[in-house]
C-alpha cells in the first residue's frame, strides 16, 4: 500500500487519538477522576498497540484496537450521559472517583472565564468552600465536548481499522494464491535421481 492510503490515514488517526488521550489524562489527574484515569490508561496502551500493528502490518493488533474502539465509544457515551444527568445519573456524585473522594472535574473551577473565590470557614465549620462564577462555558459541557471529540475520532479509527485489516488480509490471500500455483518456486531445488555406476579399479 502506498503512503496516501487508509494505512497512513489510520497512523495519523492513532497519533491524533494518542495526543487527545494524553491531554485528557492530564486533566483527569488534576481532578482526581480515578475511573477516567484507568480508562485513559488502557486506551493509551491499546492505541499504541494499534499504531504498532498498523506500521508493522500486524492485523491481529489492529483487530484488538478495533474491538477496544467500540468499547471506548460506549465509555464516552456513558461520560456524556453522566455529565448531562441522563436518567438517575448525577454529575455531582462521586461515581467517577469510586466514592473514595469528593473531587470533581478540574474544569469545574478552572474553566474558561471562571472566577474562583475561596470562602473561609465560619462558626464550628472548619472546612472552607470554593465559589465559582463567571464561567463562559460550564464544566459539564467541556467534558461533553471532550467525549464527543473522542467518539468522533474513534468512529473514524474504527472504519479505517476495518479497511486496513481487510486490505492486509486480501494481500496475504493473494500472495498465498499466487505462491500456491507456482510449480517452480523461487528456491526450488531440482531433485533429479542420479545413478552412479561403481566399477572396480584394477591397478
Amino acid at each position: 500500500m502506498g503512503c496516501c492510503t487508509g494505512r497512513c490515514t489510520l497512523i495519523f488517526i492513532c497519533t491524533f487519538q494518542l495526543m487527545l488521550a494524553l491531554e485528557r489524562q492530564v486533566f483527569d489527574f488534576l481532578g482526581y477522576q480515578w475511573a477516567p484515569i484507568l480508562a485513559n490508561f488502557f486506551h493509551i496502551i491499546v492505541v499504541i498497540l494499534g499504531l504498532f500493528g498498523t506500521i508493522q502490518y500486524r492485523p491481529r493488533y489492529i483487530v484488538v484496537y478495533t474491538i477496544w474502539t467500540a468499547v471506548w465509544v460506549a465509555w464516552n457515551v456513558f461520560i456524556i450521559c453522566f455529565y448531562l444527568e441522563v436518567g438517575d445519573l448525577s454529575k455531582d456524585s462521586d461515581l467517577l472517583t469510586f466514592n473514595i473522594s469528593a473531587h470533581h472535574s478540574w474544569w469545574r473551577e478552572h474553566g474558561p472565564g471562571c472566577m474562583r473565590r475561596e470562602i473561609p470557614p465560619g462558626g464550628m465549620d472548619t472546612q472552607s468552600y470554593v465559589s465559582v462564577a463567571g464561567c463562559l462555558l460550564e464544566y459539564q459541557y467541556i467534558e461533553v465536548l471532550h467525549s464527543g471529540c473522542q467518539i468522533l475520532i474513534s468512529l473514524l479509527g474504527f472504519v479505517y481499522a476495518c479497511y486496513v485489516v481487510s486490505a492486509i488480509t486480501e494481500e496475504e490471500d493473494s500472495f498465498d494464491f499466487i505462491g500456491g500455483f507456482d510449480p517452480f518456486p523461487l528456491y526450488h531445488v531440482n531433485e533429479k535421481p542420479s545413478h552412479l555406476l561403481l566399477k572396480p579399479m584394477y591397478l
Side-chain angles (χ1 to χ4, degrees):
M1 288 184 285
C3 186
C4 298
T5 60
R7 177 171 165 267
C8 288
T9 305
L10 183 58
I11 292 174
F12 172 77
I13 290 175
C14 288
T15 304
F16 185 60
Q17 215 171 9
L18 190 61
M19 294 171 58
L20 289 178
L22 291 173
E23 178 264 343
R24 192 175 188 180
Q25 185 75 312
V26 169
F27 291 111
D28 285 336
F29 262 115
L30 292 174
Y32 300 98
Q33 304 293 290
W34 303 117
I37 286 171
L38 288 176
N40 293 333
F41 176 74
F42 287 114
H43 180 61
I44 291 171
I45 291 177
V46 176
V47 170
I48 293 175
L49 187 67
L51 185 61
F52 175 79
T54 306
I55 295 174
Q56 296 294 325
Y57 292 91
R58 303 290 181 89
R60 292 183 180 179
Y61 295 165
I62 305 176
V63 169
V64 173
Y65 164 80
T66 305
I67 296 173
W68 171 257
T69 300
V71 177
W72 186 244
V73 169
W75 166 256
N76 282 277
V77 170
F78 165 76
I79 293 296
I80 291 176
C81 294
F82 176 81
Y83 281 106
L84 294 181
E85 297 184 325
V86 177
D88 295 331
L89 296 173
S90 174
K91 65 179 182 295
D92 295 324
S93 67
D94 299 328
L95 182 62
L96 298 184
T97 59
F98 297 133
N99 295 319
I100 60 177
S101 67
H103 291 91
H104 297 283
S105 172
W106 183 83
W107 297 104
R108 185 171 186 170
E109 301 176 5
H110 304 86
C114 291
M115 301 296 294
R116 184 177 181 271
R117 185 168 65 92
E118 187 172 347
I119 302 175
M124 300 296 294
D125 193 0
T126 59
Q127 182 179 3
S128 61
Y129 296 91
V130 175
S131 175
V132 180
C135 296
L136 298 177
L137 188 63
E138 295 294 332
Y139 76 96
Q140 63 267 27
Y141 300 120
I142 297 178
E143 294 287 356
V144 168
L145 287 175
H146 270 91
S147 295
C149 291
Q150 292 285 344
I151 291 174
L152 179 61
I153 194 68
S154 295
L155 290 176
L156 289 175
F158 180 86
V159 172
Y160 276 97
C162 292
Y163 169 75
V164 170
V165 169
S166 176
I168 294 177
T169 304
E170 287 180 1
E171 285 186 358
E172 291 178 350
D173 292 342
S174 176
F175 179 78
D176 294 340
F177 178 80
I178 296 174
F181 284 89
D182 187 7
F184 298 102
L186 182 61
Y187 297 103
H188 177 72
V189 178
N190 187 13
E191 297 180 355
K192 183 182 294 183
S194 60
H195 301 282
L196 298 177
L197 182 60
L198 300 179
K199 294 183 179 180
M201 297 181 64
Y202 300 97
L203 298 177

